[in-house]
Amino acid sequence: METYDTAIVGAGFGGLAAGAQLTKMGYKVALFEASNELGGSAGKYERGGYRFQSGATLGMGFEEEGVFHSLYQTLGLKPPPMTLLNPIMDIHLPDRTIHYYRDRHQWYEEIDRQFPDVKEKVKAFYDEVFYVGAMVDRLVHQLPIFPPRTVKDWAGLFPLMNVPSVKMMPFLTQTIYRRLQKFGLHRHSLFITFLNGELMDSVQTNVERCPAFLGYAALQTFHKGAYAVQGGLATIAEQLAEYMKRQGNDVFMRHPIYEVSQAGDLFNLKSKREKVFRSEQVIMNNSVHNLHHTLFPRLARQSYVRKEKEQSREAWGAFIIHAGVKEEVFANTESLYHQFIDPANPEGLHDGGQFLLSLSRPEDSFMAPEGMRSLTLSTHTDIAQWWMRENYESNKQLMTDRLISIVNHYFPGFAEGLDLVLPGTPVTFQKWLKRHDGKVGGYAPTGKFSWLNSYSVRTGIPRLHQCGDTVFPGAGTLGVTLSGLMAAKLISQD
């Protein structure tokens, strides 16, 4: 039986980044994926001539010195063809459409048009967003192990305690709402509605609950470079997996890991038909939600992640619709990404109160037949309602009809132009992506100090680590990828 240096459970972006980085370092790596697709919640599947993106659709981090730009340079890979987006998306409210430009100068001109009564205040707020976001980037890109769990982790933070990091302290102890008070924007309903929509999309929460530094980092990321990747984000996942295989490492598809146990100095990973793989180290990329369902109980008790605490933490599910649509329906817009926000229900930024539509590029033949486009509609959703069987089908139909109706209001002919409509719920995410209870997107911040409750890439179990959207620095393909690189760094140092 072959023994690996590192076994990685889950081929989401965190596991793929860790696997590719460790491969580059010369480690013998095995990557296990339960499904038939790579990329996890940023993966894809194909039906009826269409390629659909499982969840995440927007490419980030390929700008100069960005996360993926740096990783691809390290690995010597050529990025897939992609289109830089500007505007990033159109945001539709009943009385207006806000064009969310990547270019800062154009965005400030749009602020002048959309928020004329407070335009200077909004621009001053965004000056602060860009300033603080850049500081956060410089710190996180050094891959600190956070929260620190060992003396070595604490020692790794000390070099980061410099003048810029001290300047960041106010933003570590305040919410975005508190910062809006400073600018006199906390009662401006239109701007808060807009901001809540962007924060819900990026960090799963609103201005009142979002730590300032975390929200600022997310908001400024949009303006660094957002891309439509040819073939979808799954193309990136496929490139990373192929790199591992070309270097002689193993990527096992349709190999769920049902149990991880320890025997002496090695870990045993039990897969289908009782097949067992051995490894000296393990990275869990199947989310903290699944941790206690995968680890052998005696091993799980060593972890600082407590099952009872984890189950009580707030996490969202996703309701998603994949479909084809006639190209002519969107002939009058160049934007590939559209957000719809209902300002009449500012607390309802989920279950259709705020949702996203992403379209494939008309020229991308990977994604749809000629004359058609592949699309994804997605909204955050409360999980509990989807596990009540008696209401499941009716709830699914109601949500499907609601989202389609709203889009059809802004783009007449949308409903009639649809083809192959495939709705999915948290039940779908559990079935196909093995996300426990269908939880996706990590943990929703709940206040100014909620970031202190983040999980580290350390599990508390020696030589067994974790990465993904439930681990610092959090959700999104960039956060997930960074956590994978942190786990790889930890293995190489330990």
Side-chain angles (χ1 to χ4, degrees):
M1 184 187 298
E2 185 172 10
T3 299
Y4 294 92
D5 298 325
T6 304
I8 302 173
V9 180
F13 270 61
L16 287 163
Q21 185 79 340
L22 289 170
T23 296
K24 177 67 176 179
M25 296 176 183
Y27 286 76
K28 181 64 178 175
V29 179
L31 175 62
F32 300 93
E33 171 54 42
S35 74
N36 195 37
E37 299 289 350
L38 298 161
S41 296
K44 55 89 177 170
Y45 69 96
E46 295 175 358
R47 294 284 190 282
Y50 296 94
R51 173 180 284 196
F52 297 119
Q53 302 191 71
S54 299
T57 57
L58 195 60
M60 302 278 200
F62 280 97
E63 72 280 359
E64 190 75 25
E65 298 184 358
V67 174
F68 282 106
H69 179 270
S70 299
L71 178 59
Y72 268 62
Q73 282 197 322
T74 298
L75 302 178
L77 295 178
K78 181 180 179 180
M82 60 185 71
T83 302
L84 180 62
L85 302 175
N86 190 43
I88 304 158
M89 70 175 78
D90 285 347
I91 299 157
H92 303 279
L93 293 92
D95 66 337
R96 70 189 66 211
T97 293
I98 299 174
H99 303 292
Y100 199 21
Y101 288 101
R102 176 193 63 84
D103 180 82
R104 193 182 305 189
H105 177 71
Q106 287 179 287
W107 174 232
Y108 279 18
E109 288 182 337
E110 183 72 0
I111 288 171
D112 288 343
R113 288 188 290 269
Q114 300 293 346
F115 310 104
D117 54 326
V118 289
K119 60 184 181 182
E120 297 306 324
K121 294 179 180 179
V122 173
K123 285 187 281 190
F125 170 79
Y126 267 92
D127 286 343
E128 185 171 274
V129 165
F130 293 129
Y131 172 71
V132 175
M135 287 196 293
V136 175
D137 278 353
R138 285 193 292 271
L139 291 174
V140 173
H141 284 195
Q142 295 180 62
L143 303 179
I145 307 302
F146 184 87
R149 305 295 305 180
T150 68
V151 172
K152 193 172 183 178
D153 294 347
W154 281 105
L157 292 179
F158 288 138
L160 305 180
M161 297 297 108
N162 50 28
V163 173
S165 61
V166 171
K167 289 182 179 179
M168 210 169 71
M169 286 302 297
F171 309 99
L172 296 172
T173 60
Q174 297 178 17
T175 62
I176 286 186
Y177 184 80
R178 180 68 185 86
R179 300 308 301 171
L180 289 172
Q181 287 179 314
K182 172 193 171 184
F183 294 101
L185 292 168
H186 59 295
R187 292 177 180 164
H188 195 278
S189 59
L190 175 61
F191 184 60
I192 288 181
T193 295
F194 160 77
L195 211 54
N196 277 339
E198 305 323 298
L199 292 173
M200 194 68 181
D201 175 36
S202 55
V203 289
Q204 341 304 326
T205 196
N206 60 23
V207 297
E208 293 183 347
R209 307 180 96 197
C210 186
F213 84 97
L214 183 63
Y216 282 6
L219 290 171
Q220 61 99 31
T221 296
F222 286 114
H223 299 272
K224 291 194 298 182
Y227 300 83
V229 179
Q230 182 171 309
L233 298 184
T235 306
I236 300 169
E238 290 163 353
Q239 286 186 317
L240 295 177
E242 283 302 314
Y243 172 82
M244 293 178 62
K245 290 190 282 187
R246 283 199 308 271
Q247 304 303 316
N249 280 331
D250 294 321
V251 177
F252 296 100
M253 305 301 293
R254 299 183 298 280
H255 271 67
I257 297 300
Y258 295 113
E259 182 182 273
V260 178
S261 60
Q262 194 168 16
D265 292 334
L266 296 176
F267 292 97
N268 290 331
L269 294 89
K270 186 183 294 184
S271 187
K272 59 183 181 181
R273 293 188 289 276
E274 300 299 308
K275 188 172 183 180
V276 176
F277 298 85
R278 299 189 306 184
S279 182
E280 294 181 4
Q281 304 190 79
V282 174
I283 297 175
M284 306 293 291
N285 183 220
N286 59 346
S287 94
V288 174
H289 307 312
N290 294 61
L291 187 68
H292 285 273
H293 300 273
T294 309
L295 299 184
F296 188 71
R298 183 166 48 190
L299 187 62
R301 285 194 289 271
Q302 299 178 41
S303 174
Y304 77 89
V305 179
R306 297 301 173 207
K307 185 176 182 179
E308 299 76 15
K309 179 182 177 182
E310 191 283 321
Q311 290 177 334
S312 67
R313 294 185 65 174
E314 291 186 30
W316 291 106
F319 183 91
I320 197 161
I321 297 174
H322 293 122
V325 67
K326 291 180 179 178
E327 188 175 320
E328 62 199 49
V329 174
F330 292 94
N332 294 326
T333 177
E334 295 182 1
S335 293
L336 300 179
Y337 295 85
H338 299 264
Q339 185 180 42
F340 303 87
I341 302 175
D342 180 6
N345 185 16
E347 298 302 317
L349 291 170
H350 55 87
D351 290 300
Q354 180 275 138
F355 66 95
L356 293 173
L357 182 152
S358 60
L359 290 164
S360 64
R361 292 172 59 244
E363 305 84 3
D364 193 342
S365 60
F366 284 96
M367 301 298 291
E370 186 176 355
M372 305 295 290
R373 298 170 78 172
S374 170
L375 69 84
T376 301
L377 287 171
S378 61
T379 184
H380 293 78
T381 186
D382 284 322
I383 292 170
Q385 63 186 306
W386 300 106
W387 295 98
M388 295 183 286
R389 291 187 178 182
E390 64 274 15
N391 300 322
Y392 181 78
E393 291 299 333
S394 60
N395 284 347
K396 185 165 70 170
Q397 190 61 56
L398 284 170
M399 185 68 72
T400 300
D401 292 344
R402 179 184 183 188
L403 299 189
I404 290 174
S405 174
I406 292 172
V407 178
N408 194 71
H409 172 77
Y410 292 96
F411 295 95
F414 175 74
E416 293 77 14
L418 287 174
D419 177 38
L420 197 68
V421 177
L422 302 171
T425 72
V427 177
T428 314
F429 277 85
Q430 175 167 285
K431 179 179 180 180
W432 295 108
L433 296 182
K434 310 303 179 186
R435 303 288 302 218
H436 183 66
D437 286 342
K439 298 175 183 177
V440 293
Y443 298 103
T446 56
K448 58 186 179 182
F449 293 122
S450 54
W451 57 277
L452 292 171
N453 293 322
S454 299
Y455 287 122
S456 165
V457 293
R458 292 192 190 273
T459 64
I461 302 170
R463 297 181 292 111
L464 191 148
H465 313 300
Q466 58 190 355
C467 64
D469 58 8
T470 49
V471 173
F472 179 83
T477 52
L478 290 187
V480 166
T481 300
L482 282 166
S483 69
L485 297 175
M486 289 175 185
K489 177 181 177 181
L490 189 60
I491 285 174
S492 68
Q493 290 179 339
D494 290 355

